[in-house]
Amino acid sequence: MTTPLFALGATGVLLSAGGLLLAFAVLLWLILGRGPRRRRAFRRAQRLLHQGQWQDALALVGAIRGAGRRSTAWQGRVDSLEGECHHAAGDAALKEQRFEDAVRHYADAGKYLSVSATELHAKVVDVMLAEALRLFAAGTSHNEAALALLTRALTIQPASAVALFWQALCRIRDGRLDLAAEALGQAHEAGGKAFLDPPLYLGMVLLRQGKPQEALRHLADANRVDANCPFVPLHMGLALVAAGGDAGLAVRALQRGLGPRGLAKWGQAPQRAWADGMSEDRSYVRRLAAKYPYTCPLNGSELTALVNQGRFALGQAHQRLGQYQEAADVFEALLKDSPPSAPLLRGLGLALAKSERYDQAYKHLRIALELDPKDAATAGYLALCGALGKPTREEDRPRNVAWAVQQVARFETYGDPEWARLASRILAEARALGVPVDAADQLRLCDVLASVFATDPEAAGAYDHLAATFPEASRPEHAWIYCQAACQHGYAGSRDLDLFARTFRDADAARPFYGQRAWDFAAVEYAYLERSAKANPGRFPEELGPHYADRGTSLLLGRSKRLEEAGDPDGALAAAEVLLRLAPTNTLSHDRLARMYHARGDLERAASLLAGWHRLEPTNHLPLVRRAVVEAQRGNAPGCSEVVRAALDATRGPLRAGVAFLGARLALSAAPAEAEALLRECLKDNPEHVEALWLLAALLAARGDRAGLVVLAPSLNRPEVPDARFHYLAAVCHLAAGDFKQVLEACRRAWGEPSLTVECRYLMGWAALSLGDEAAALREWEVVARAPDSPSAAHAQALLGRLRFAQGDYEEAVPWWGGLDVAKRASWGLDEPLRATAFLAGLRALDAGRFDRAAERFREAGQLGLRDRRLGPLVTLALVKAGQGKLFSANGEAAEIKKNGP
């Protein structure tokens, strides 16, 4: 029994010893094992990190990584811890403003944590910018530090629009505007062109650099971002004025920038303009001004200088618009609020001078010139005020003008139109007062005018006066420009023709000079001819050359024709008159002028010119023929006849026939006998003259010369002639000759002319009647009688009544005769036949049982004046018979209805 028990005890002891060994081994592993040590180190690193000892924690993490690779999950935990250590290190560095260290640690943190390195960099830059803005707001003494910090920020985030903008403003403080402009451009692009400040400040910088056109482009960008910011329209106005742009637009922009809703709103609190006047959510300056006092590096902390600059520009803009009173008001108000600087006094003086308030302008310009003695504009307008102002004594005026001339002569300002106008005005005043100006001063001032090619009348007077007083000093260019001015304005000076002559003596040089300026040298040539015609008529100017007459004639006639075609009859007439004065023997001018005066209705002048032409060419029939037309239109029949006879004497053959025919046409209304004689003259020289033949036939027919028509008839039997009038008159002649078939043939040939168709039918009616065809005559005349405009209609009615009466058809005859005009019917003796015919028609109707018609005709006969004692009873009888007939008719109808029913 003892053995088993002993064995069990030994076994227990052994088991207990093994457990202890196992426990000791586990203990040793927990103390000395790699895994437990790593875990303990990891937890210790976490504690150190939480205690802010990121360096020690980071060192432990490094040791853990050096202990060998483990599972992926364990590696992730280590990475996360290392990232947290670097993040903490970055925060500590950022707090201590070790910004580059912070960036480096944040970059390492970003490798292990799910955090964007860009976001972490932006955090660093934001802190750097906040510090830089604090330094910037602290004043210029901190500018270098702020700039250095901004430069460091840009190495971290090169595209930071905010850093670039404030870097630019630091550059502005340093006076390095070129670098500032470059940075502002980069800031504008980096900010997506969505912020106000970069383009606004870039525009302001470019304005300071004297680049207003470029400034306007960027200020327009600023205006697109925020048009309500008062600094934008103000600087746009400044740029427009500096660039010489639209003055009206500049006025509106400056008024908006300076007005009650502009900078004037912050007149009492200028600092608030940067906080409240800039864009609320798109302005870097507003953000700074809301936190710190802001001093603009360009305009300072006050607005006074900027406002005064805008007011001065507003005055300049008004002046450019010619609103001199408004400009003077602006400058005067500005002068009360600011020191009397030379530009301000000059601006006020110029505005007053241009509004012709010379005496008020003088005192301001005099002080301005003392402040800036070399300014030509000030000296020029001061001289103008001295010349045109009201002197204390009237006898001082010539001395004042002489002084003014000396003032402007001191400056050799060429190519300036405004200066040239000043000089021209002063010289004009000197000429008006007879103030002598020496050759050197005159020449210098004329050269000033020539430098801008001044062609106004005052400039022309200056060139002319120099040529009159010192001809040897006058230059060819002065003469050339004078001629353009004279042509343009109709100016004529005392040496007018001399200057024109000088120009055309040197025409080979003057012509390209005119061409370079698109001036019309031909117009100047015409002006010279026009003036020479008045001053020296009877010949072309000698300076144009001995063989110029043909060219001059062609030029003047061509000009006259062009102007007439262009609708300028006065200019066309004037050009032809110039030719007539210069070349009185030129028949072309007589011819053209006669035609134009005839067209204007001046028949007397036209007749005189044609008479003059005839005197120059006695054997030429054209002036006589044309004068005949004019005399006829004047109502001078004897004169017309005399001229026609003279033209006949000057012509032969067919040409003479044509002259005679024209004379006949002219004499038709006033002297038919003369016309007939001239037509016979025409036919003597040209027996085949178609128009003369039918016109002669018309004259013979009009005066009822049947024998003459009979004689003429064979000459008109010409079927080949296309003229319908010829064949109509041929039919008249054949009718007079009794050749009725030829009448019908001729009428058929004339039938195609609508205006002659009715009259041809009238003649055809006579021919048909003469040939025994009454029915055809009736058809033709009925058409004629119903034509309202036919001169033969009434006669056709009378003939129709006659034919119907002859046929015993009294009922048809009555309306034809009754429809005639009362006066014509009486003159043709048809009143009594009409009365009798109406009575006979009544008897016929009574006999035929047409009682109503009979009563009507009997009454008509009475109304026409028939005095027959039977007329009353016959009317009564016809009416009774008509009534009986109607009664019997009614009774018969009643009986029929009774018998047969309705």
Side-chain angles (χ1 to χ4, degrees), residues 47 71 95 98 117 157 183-184 196 214 248 313 410 503 526 603 630 667 729 746 763 765 787 811 843 861 883 887:
R47 286 195 298 274
S71 67
K95 186 174 182 181
R98 293 182 292 106
Q157 189 174 342
L184 287 168
L196 170 67
E214 294 181 44
R410 289 191 303 115
T503 296
Y526 172 71
L603 301 180
V630 173
L729 270 303
L763 296 179
E811 183 66 31
L843 291 175
L887 179 61

Side-chain angles (χ1 to χ4, degrees), residues 177-252:
L177 297 185
D178 289 339
L179 294 176
E182 182 181 352
L184 287 168
Q186 293 171 353
H188 190 37
E189 295 294 333
K193 299 184 177 181
F195 281 81
L196 170 67
D197 316 68
L200 173 60
Y201 268 90
L202 181 53
M204 290 193 284
V205 166
L206 291 169
L207 264 178
R208 291 289 179 94
Q209 292 179 313
K211 302 174 182 177
Q213 290 286 6
E214 294 181 44
L216 274 173
R217 188 172 70 253
H218 296 290
L219 290 169
D221 286 346
N223 190 61
R224 281 191 287 272
V225 175
D226 186 0
N228 295 317
C229 172
F231 294 102
V232 174
L234 175 62
H235 284 89
M236 287 188 75
L238 291 172
L240 281 167
V241 171
D246 187 328
L249 185 60
V251 166
R252 292 191 292 274

Side-chain angles (χ1 to χ4, degrees), residues 338-352:
S338 58
S341 64
L344 178 54
L345 290 168
R346 179 168 55 248
L348 176 56
L350 294 182
L352 293 170

Side-chain angles (χ1 to χ4, degrees), residues 671-808:
E674 175 74 11
E676 184 177 337
L678 287 169
L679 287 171
R680 294 191 185 280
E681 287 283 342
C682 172
L683 292 170
K684 188 187 299 181
D685 287 298
N686 184 6
E688 304 298 317
H689 199 293
V690 171
E691 289 182 285
L693 283 169
W694 72 255
L695 195 56
L696 179 58
L699 280 174
L700 295 173
R703 64 184 178 86
D705 187 349
R706 180 182 288 272
L709 292 172
V710 172
V711 172
L712 195 60
S715 301
L716 275 75
N717 190 16
R718 295 170 60 185
E720 75 281 1
V721 174
D723 193 339
R725 294 170 297 178
F726 178 87
H727 294 296
Y728 172 73
L729 270 303
V732 172
C733 291
H734 290 312
L735 185 63
D739 192 349
F740 305 118
K741 290 184 179 180
Q742 286 295 331
V743 171
L744 294 175
E745 288 297 325
C747 285
R748 290 189 186 98
R749 286 193 285 270
W751 192 274
E753 172 55 46
S755 62
L756 296 176
T757 301
V758 173
E759 303 311 313
C760 285
R761 300 190 78 153
Y762 175 73
L763 296 179
M764 291 171 72
W766 275 112
L769 182 64
S770 301
L771 291 171
D773 190 350
E774 290 188 0
L778 285 171
R779 285 196 304 273
E780 300 297 346
W781 285 341
E782 282 180 1
V783 173
V784 176
R786 291 188 175 92
D789 299 327
S790 172
S792 303
H795 200 217
Q797 284 181 260
L799 291 171
L800 285 167
R802 175 186 167 187
L803 269 179
R804 291 300 187 185
F805 184 84
Q807 292 172 348

Side-chain angles (χ1 to χ4, degrees), residues 824-840:
K824 283 185 178 180
R825 193 170 66 216
S827 67
W828 289 346
L830 292 176
D831 282 341
E832 187 58 34
L834 176 59
R835 288 192 287 268
T837 302
F839 184 72
L840 290 173

Side-chain angles (χ1 to χ4, degrees), residues 56-222:
D56 296 336
L58 190 59
L60 279 176
V61 170
I64 294 171
R65 286 192 183 281
R69 294 178 61 96
R70 300 296 292 175
S71 67
T72 302
W74 171 254
Q75 189 67 35
R77 292 178 62 193
V78 173
D79 288 347
S80 179
L81 181 58
E82 185 171 355
E84 290 175 5
C85 290
H86 282 296
H87 196 285
D91 289 344
L94 188 61
K95 186 174 182 181
E96 296 168 5
Q97 296 190 357
R98 293 182 292 106
F99 301 113
E100 287 77 5
D101 291 341
V103 168
R104 187 176 63 257
H105 284 296
Y106 281 145
D108 290 340
K111 295 176 184 177
Y112 302 111
L113 301 175
S114 57
V115 179
S116 168
T118 304
E119 292 179 7
L120 295 172
H121 287 178
K123 179 179 179 182
V124 175
V125 171
D126 286 344
V127 174
M128 295 176 78
L129 288 176
E131 177 61 16
L133 293 185
R134 184 189 68 78
L135 292 170
F136 183 89
T140 55
S141 60
H142 298 276
N143 193 60
E144 188 174 344
L147 182 58
L149 188 55
L150 289 166
T151 303
R152 290 166 64 191
L154 285 169
T155 59
I156 298 170
Q157 189 174 342
S160 172
V162 184
L164 286 166
F165 172 75
W166 290 109
Q167 183 189 54
L169 263 61
C170 289
R171 299 289 190 197
I172 293 173
R173 271 185 177 172
D174 287 346
R176 292 178 286 181
L177 297 185
D178 289 339
L179 294 176
E182 182 181 352
L184 287 168
Q186 293 171 353
H188 190 37
E189 295 294 333
K193 299 184 177 181
F195 281 81
L196 170 67
D197 316 68
L200 173 60
Y201 268 90
L202 181 53
M204 290 193 284
V205 166
L206 291 169
L207 264 178
R208 291 289 179 94
Q209 292 179 313
K211 302 174 182 177
Q213 290 286 6
E214 294 181 44
L216 274 173
R217 188 172 70 253
H218 296 290
L219 290 169
D221 286 346

